[in-house]
Amino acid sequence: MDDVANKIVSILKKNMKEPPETIALDTKLSDLEIESLDLAVIVFDIEDTFGIQIPYNANEEMQDFATVGSVVERVKSLIGDKGAAGAAA
Amino acid sequence: MAGPNGARRVVITGQGVVSAIGIGVDTFWANMRRGVCGIGPITNIPLQDLYITIAGEVKDFDPRERCPSKPFMLADRYSQFAGSAAIEAMKQAGYDGPVSDGHRAASIIGSGIGGLGTIENGYVDLFIHKKKATHPLTLLRSIGSSAAAHVSIEYGMKGPCFGTVSACSTAAHAIGLTFQMIRAGMVDIGIAGASEACVTFGSMRSWQAMRVLSPEGCWPFSKHRNGTVLAEGAGILVLEELEHALARGATPLAELVGFGMTSDAADMVNPSIEGPSVAMQIALDDARLAPGDIDYINAHGTATTVNDINETRAIRRVFGKDADKVSVSSTKSMHGHCLGAGGGVEAVACIKAISENFVPATIGFDEPGEECDLDYTPNEGRSREITYAMSNSFAFGGLNAALVFGPPPA
């Protein structure tokens, strides 16, 4: 796992009552018993850590939040967008 | 005059409302009958860093016109909404000034959060502008009991006076408690409901962070629903012991016949089926009614994925086979989610529904959402004989309240 993934895993663990020893990229968030309010807190933490904004609505099924890996990919793409926007400005 | 359960009977002799679909019951109800949507782009606050930019704002509210006494002029917007609705309700009940026996009168007007705009402005002054002092009325404006106190002063109500606080069940709790006080003989008349002025920058940011707001619209029970929409407003009733009302020559608009309240005691955001079901059942039992007697349910219907399925299941659990006969709607589709004031605004909708035998619609309805299988009165209201109507309010924390209204005693 790279730096982004490690940071996201540590955010997940921080917000779980009993985090498992290992969280892999293919671990499903539903298997971690993360519910909608937990996810709102986790998304907030991720936004704060990486300085990005993640469009997330608890009322909608979001593929980006299916697995740890999909969250990592989404965050990387948002970091990339931010970098590109910064370069253009 | 005692009711079927031996208790004193409680009637509604006045009602007042402030909402995104109208200030005053006549405008509110005319728009509700027509299915007017009051939700739109936010105009009263700066939108920076907001990606949720719609709400049910109260438009063109002039406190000088609606609640002209000096204390109200200096109050927070939330108290002014309450003042406007209370004055309208009291006028309908026949009061232009103080009640005759103040110690037998209650003023129970709650708010989910009170004078939030005042608090936010105070913090901006303190922490951003580094002012040496906040406005001297900051405290009095912000406390969540100020609306109740202002109204008690306006009408010389010297009995119980306080605000209820139970998030989105606040108004229903205020009305239910006042109902019980009158029944118990503690007071003869009470003004009850709630007010909310929650479309502030900080509030919008807080709700946005919870990820439960829709960026587009409030479409309860509908397949395309994607969250709720915040709204401002106030809904206030004058409740009165039947004999007291008749002796004054007041005209009862409806009777409040049942009240139930429960707490899930389980989770802050995920509702149980048991809590709401038992609240509805207690309200029915209190009213000595069977589920089949209810013609209309003004649902809590927030348009979140979770609430609408859960409420549907709870109604099915309580109403059994009668669930397919009762008309259901969520008027939040029109006026938005008035949070603490919701149960008050929706109580007014129930009373008008009974008076005019008309079920207001759930607008913005495309097709039924998954597991949403009741008659939600999609898009167009309809005429139907309504003898009894139930109003549901369910709040964060699992705080449930149900009110049952019936026709005015013959």
Side-chain angles (χ1 to χ4, degrees):
Chain A
M1 279 205 243
D2 59 17
D3 186 42
V4 171
N6 282 326
K7 279 183 179 165
I8 287 172
V9 166
S10 70
I11 288 169
L12 290 172
K13 286 186 170 175
K14 190 179 92 181
N15 287 290
M16 293 170 67
K17 196 176 164 206
E18 289 171 354
E21 292 250 325
T22 54
I23 295 180
L25 288 177
D26 61 359
T27 303
K28 288 180 182 158
L29 294 198
S30 53
D31 291 341
L32 296 174
E33 294 181 7
I34 290 172
E35 295 175 354
S36 65
L37 189 59
D38 303 324
L39 203 48
V41 175
I42 287 163
V43 169
F44 168 77
D45 255 3
I46 293 173
E47 287 183 333
D48 209 33
T49 302
F50 295 99
I52 53 174
Q53 222 180 34
I54 303 171
Y56 163 65
N57 181 341
N59 296 288
E60 292 171 342
E61 287 284 333
M62 316 223 27
Q63 278 309 306
D64 291 347
F65 295 94
T67 65
V68 176
S70 62
V71 176
V72 170
E73 287 313 307
R74 184 78 179 114
V75 169
K76 281 181 179 170
S77 95
L78 286 165
I79 295 171
D81 291 349
K82 193 183 135 205
Chain B
M1 192 187 296
N5 55 7
R8 298 193 334 149
R9 297 177 75 171
V10 179
V11 292
I12 288 91
T13 52
Q15 52 184 348
V17 75
V18 172
S19 79
I21 56 167
I23 302 166
V25 174
D26 289 348
T27 311
F28 167 80
W29 180 248
N31 283 332
M32 189 168 275
R33 281 191 71 120
R34 285 167 42 221
V36 170
C37 182
I39 292 163
I42 294 172
T43 58
N44 281 342
I45 59 168
L47 299 178
Q48 84 259 21
D49 299 322
L50 286 178
Y51 58 84
I52 302 291
T53 56
I54 58 165
E57 287 180 307
V58 172
K59 299 275 167 54
D60 304 321
F61 180 82
D62 180 2
R64 283 180 188 279
E65 179 196 346
R66 298 285 169 182
C67 39
S69 68
K70 192 177 167 206
F72 275 122
M73 298 298 309
L74 298 172
D76 184 86
R77 185 170 167 88
Y78 116 88
S79 288
Q80 292 174 341
F81 288 164
S84 173
I87 289 167
E88 181 187 12
M90 286 296 277
K91 191 170 178 186
Q92 184 175 28
Y95 288 101
D96 273 330
V99 296
S100 53
D101 187 356
H103 290 109
R104 300 284 301 166
S107 172
I108 314 297
I109 298 171
S111 180
I113 204 148
L116 190 61
T118 296
I119 296 173
E120 285 186 18
N121 290 336
Y123 284 164
V124 168
D125 282 348
L126 272 186
F127 302 132
I128 307 294
H129 301 313
K130 309 288 183 195
K131 288 194 178 174
K132 298 248 184 290
T134 60
H135 187 283
L137 295 180
T138 299
L139 186 85
L140 295 178
R141 282 176 179 166
S142 55
I143 50 179
S145 50
S146 57
H150 276 301
V151 170
S152 79
I153 293 166
E154 190 83 9
Y155 291 103
M157 295 172 144
K158 300 176 179 175
C161 176
F162 53 87
T164 48
V165 182
S166 51
C168 308
S169 294
T170 297
H173 277 132
I175 293 166
L177 286 181
T178 306
F179 174 51
Q180 299 293 23
M181 283 190 239
I182 295 172
R183 265 185 169 177
M186 189 183 286
V187 295
D188 298 317
I189 186 169
I191 189 153
S195 178
E196 210 77 75
C198 54
V199 183
T200 65
F201 184 66
S203 160
M204 287 303 299
R205 291 297 297 273
S206 309
W207 277 91
Q208 179 174 285
M210 274 197 81
R211 316 277 176 165
V212 294
L213 297 183
S214 167
E216 296 156 307
C218 187
W219 305 309
F221 303 109
S222 179
K223 189 161 191 169
H224 68 149
R225 76 187 187 280
N226 58 1
T228 198
V229 175
L230 294 199
E232 304 179 296
I236 294 204
L237 306 179
V238 176
L239 304 182
E240 200 166 348
E241 193 271 322
L242 176 60
E243 294 293 310
H244 187 272
L246 296 178
R248 296 192 303 113
T251 306
L253 307 170
E255 181 172 6
L256 182 49
V257 292
F259 172 52
M261 54 179 162
T262 60
S263 170
D264 291 355
D267 191 278
M268 284 302 288
V269 292
N270 290 313
S272 74
I273 297 178
E274 182 193 30
S277 306
V278 176
M280 285 187 259
Q281 188 62 56
I282 292 172
L284 285 171
D285 293 345
D286 187 33
R288 301 289 197 272
L289 293 174
D293 296 323
I294 302 292
D295 303 295
Y296 169 52
I297 300 174
N298 187 301
H300 187 56
T302 55
T304 62
T305 312
V306 176
N307 173 82
D308 293 2
I309 292 175
N310 197 72
E311 185 170 11
T312 298
R313 288 178 183 161
I315 289 170
R316 284 217 168 270
R317 179 183 284 193
V318 174
F319 283 71
K321 62 180 173 36
D322 294 313
D324 293 313
K325 291 190 286 188
V326 67
S327 288
V328 180
S329 71
S330 171
T331 52
K332 287 184 176 71
S333 56
M334 294 179 252
H335 50 68
H337 192 347
C338 303
L339 306 181
V345 171
E346 291 154 24
V348 173
C350 284
I351 292 163
K352 290 302 289 185
I354 291 170
S355 304
E356 300 197 6
N357 290 307
F358 186 86
V359 183
T362 304
I363 66 165
F365 196 95
D366 60 346
E367 53 183 296
E370 207 175 311
E371 293 189 60
C372 295
D373 57 358
L374 297 168
D375 175 5
Y376 302 109
T377 324
N379 297 318
E380 285 191 23
R382 80 174 79 105
S383 295
R384 171 182 177 156
E385 188 92 0
I386 301 175
T387 309
Y388 293 103
M390 175 181 278
S391 175
N392 283 341
S393 296
F394 311 134
F396 281 153
L399 320 180
N400 313 296
L403 296 163
V404 178
F405 296 94

